[in-house]
Amino acid sequence: MLLSVVVPCCNESANVGELHRRLAEVCAGLDLDAEFIFVDDGSRDDTLERLKALAGSDPRVRVLSLSRNFGHQAALSAGIDHAAGDAVVVMDADLQHPPELIGAFVTRWRAGYDLVYAFRQGVRPRLGYRLINALISTRIPPESADFRLMDRRVVDAFRRMPERARFIRGMISWLGFRQCGVGYHDRQRFAGRRSYTVRQTARMALNAVLAFSTVPLRAASLLGLCTLAAGLLYGAYILYARLAGRPIEPGWTALMLTVLILGGVQLICVGIIAEYVGRIFEEVKQRPLYVVREWIGPADRRPDDRREGAR
Ligand code: UDP
Ligand code: MG
């Protein structure tokens, strides 16, 4: 049995050595062969050189270097595409995900679970999470991170999901399979700084909602309906006022209000539809999810044999 550990790295030069040391320690205690796939996601520091040095000293280390920064979710997908394991673990490079948990993952995997995910204990689900869960139809375990073990069955199914707008936690939940969670306490980053920018986080949240839900589309129609109803009510009132012989104000205010409200509602609805259309455009372009510059590892897993070239 082979266990692949996939780690996306973006400017993690000070972390990869320690992570590799602890991974090697954990895997020595497991009755499994292991490979460590580090994906360099366009780092600007010397992460790639460090990874190459690790690959030179440990034949289990594979390095996948992307041509530029494609973002965490794409880097994860790239690593998963290049993993050969019967089970694949994905985790962060900054040691916020304790490698020691892999032992618990493997125990549960051997007990027959296809998917074992880690969830942070002792923290209240963040508002963003609760909002996403309220909006989308696929349940995502609260406070789970991109730290999990997937059986080969799950990996193969995951690789058949071609969408570009990726929210991997949601995609994995959507797949189903026999799942269970393992709790852990989140750590501080070992070294370096968080590389997710606010913009990336916001984009991911938007992807999560738009890719897993048509609620916003329905909300647009609902908003339109409400406005229409309000307009009709107002019209009925004017009609009544006229028939009852009441003086009607010159109506400038009402007119302006109506125009502004209607304009606003229409723009919102068009904007929501535009978000979906933009995503359809991204999907139909069928661009590869990532571009590989270099692969250090078994030759039969070169990029052109993987999905990147096939798509
Ligand atoms: N990461 C990546 N590409 C990016 C941003 C982040 O590969 O563009 C990696 C990063 O190296 C780390 C993981 O994704 O291994 C999580 O990133 P980070 O620690 O910045 O996010 P946080 O843990 O704060 O959510
Ligand atoms: Mg982190």
Side-chain angles (χ1 to χ4, degrees), residues 119-179:
F119 60 90
R120 272 167 284 191
Q121 266 171 340
V123 284
R124 289 183 52 230
R126 270 174 296 180
L127 184 67
Y129 244 101
R130 278 183 286 165
L131 198 70
I132 288 175
N133 257 338
L135 279 174
I136 73 181
S137 44
T138 307
R139 284 293 113 197
I140 298 172
E143 287 301 307
S144 64
D146 278 311
F147 184 22
R148 70 180 75 79
L149 177 146
M150 296 176 271
D151 183 77
R152 177 47 55 186
R153 279 189 281 258
V154 180
V155 173
D156 287 343
F158 175 77
R159 292 189 58 210
R160 278 194 274 115
M161 298 174 92
E163 57 247 60
R164 249 121 283 261
R166 300 207 135 214
F167 178 59
I168 293 180
R169 266 164 268 177
M171 292 164 67
I172 296 280
S173 286
W174 180 90
L175 282 174
F177 287 102
R178 293 194 58 199
Q179 314 194 353

Side-chain angles (χ1 to χ4, degrees), residues 7-12 15-16 19 39-44 47 66 69-76 91-97 120 126 145-146 169 186-187 189 191 193-197 200-201 204:
V7 189
C9 310
C10 178
N11 303 330
E12 303 283 8
N15 290 321
V16 288
L19 175 67
V39 183
D40 174 47
D41 185 21
S43 297
R44 272 158 296 139
T47 302
L66 303 186
N69 178 270
F70 281 89
H72 180 204
Q73 305 284 296
L76 259 182
M91 64 188 298
D92 286 357
D94 55 10
L95 292 160
Q96 280 185 305
H97 299 160
R120 272 167 284 191
R126 270 174 296 180
D146 278 311
R169 266 164 268 177
D186 209 5
R187 321 280 151 102
R189 253 177 170 279
R193 276 194 301 126
R194 180 169 204 253
S195 46
Y196 254 102
T197 59
Q200 277 179 318
T201 312
M204 183 147 108

Side-chain angles (χ1 to χ4, degrees), residues 1-309:
M1 288 293 202
L2 176 69
L3 177 75
S4 306
V5 181
V6 170
V7 189
C9 310
C10 178
N11 303 330
E12 303 283 8
S13 155
N15 290 321
V16 288
E18 172 72 7
L19 175 67
H20 171 259
R21 192 185 65 71
R22 281 171 61 183
L23 277 176
E25 221 171 80
V26 167
C27 287
L30 299 172
D31 185 20
L32 285 169
D33 291 328
E35 64 170 0
F36 309 126
I37 301 178
F38 291 95
V39 183
D40 174 47
D41 185 21
S43 297
R44 272 158 296 139
D45 61 3
D46 62 342
T47 302
L48 184 58
E49 285 67 42
R50 298 249 174 154
L51 291 177
K52 285 183 177 169
L54 284 178
S57 67
D58 180 351
R60 294 172 297 178
V61 171
R62 287 102 173 73
V63 182
L64 183 68
S65 159
L66 303 186
S67 63
R68 63 168 169 86
N69 178 270
F70 281 89
H72 180 204
Q73 305 284 296
L76 259 182
S77 304
I80 292 172
D81 286 347
H82 286 75
D86 300 292
V88 177
V89 168
V90 297
M91 64 188 298
D92 286 357
D94 55 10
L95 292 160
Q96 280 185 305
H97 299 160
E100 291 68 32
L101 213 62
I102 293 176
F105 284 178
V106 169
T107 309
R108 296 209 179 28
W109 174 54
R110 285 188 168 136
Y113 284 100
D114 301 311
L115 186 77
V116 190
Y117 58 86
F119 60 90
R120 272 167 284 191
Q121 266 171 340
V123 284
R124 289 183 52 230
R126 270 174 296 180
L127 184 67
Y129 244 101
R130 278 183 286 165
L131 198 70
I132 288 175
N133 257 338
L135 279 174
I136 73 181
S137 44
T138 307
R139 284 293 113 197
I140 298 172
E143 287 301 307
S144 64
D146 278 311
F147 184 22
R148 70 180 75 79
L149 177 146
M150 296 176 271
D151 183 77
R152 177 47 55 186
R153 279 189 281 258
V154 180
V155 173
D156 287 343
F158 175 77
R159 292 189 58 210
R160 278 194 274 115
M161 298 174 92
E163 57 247 60
R164 249 121 283 261
R166 300 207 135 214
F167 178 59
I168 293 180
R169 266 164 268 177
M171 292 164 67
I172 296 280
S173 286
W174 180 90
L175 282 174
F177 287 102
R178 293 194 58 199
Q179 314 194 353
C180 75
V182 179
Y184 75 104
H185 291 279
D186 209 5
R187 321 280 151 102
Q188 294 288 316
R189 253 177 170 279
F190 182 70
R193 276 194 301 126
R194 180 169 204 253
S195 46
Y196 254 102
T197 59
V198 176
R199 239 180 84 200
Q200 277 179 318
T201 312
R203 193 183 306 145
M204 183 147 108
L206 204 62
N207 274 344
V209 172
L210 294 184
F212 282 91
S213 155
T214 44
V215 171
L217 278 178
R218 251 176 287 140
S221 339
L222 201 70
L223 205 63
L225 268 179
C226 290
T227 325
L228 189 69
L232 284 178
L233 275 177
Y234 189 57
Y237 164 74
I238 293 180
L239 203 65
Y240 161 78
R242 180 156 285 235
L243 289 180
R246 294 207 193 136
I248 296 175
E249 289 103 10
W252 175 246
T253 330
L255 197 69
M256 276 319 277
L257 271 180
T258 316
V259 168
L260 287 177
I261 291 174
L262 272 185
V265 168
Q266 280 170 353
L267 281 181
I268 291 173
C269 296
V270 170
I272 292 172
I273 293 165
E275 288 288 343
Y276 281 95
V277 172
R279 275 164 182 73
I280 295 171
F281 180 54
E282 285 301 317
E283 300 294 337
V284 297
K285 274 192 289 187
Q286 288 286 308
R287 291 234 177 110
L289 213 58
Y290 54 86
V291 178
V292 173
R293 202 182 82 80
E294 197 178 357
W295 163 248
I296 302 172
D300 60 337
R301 282 188 251 156
R302 269 195 312 265
D304 24 306
D305 305 330
R306 315 306 295 178
R307 186 170 53 169
E308 187 212 1

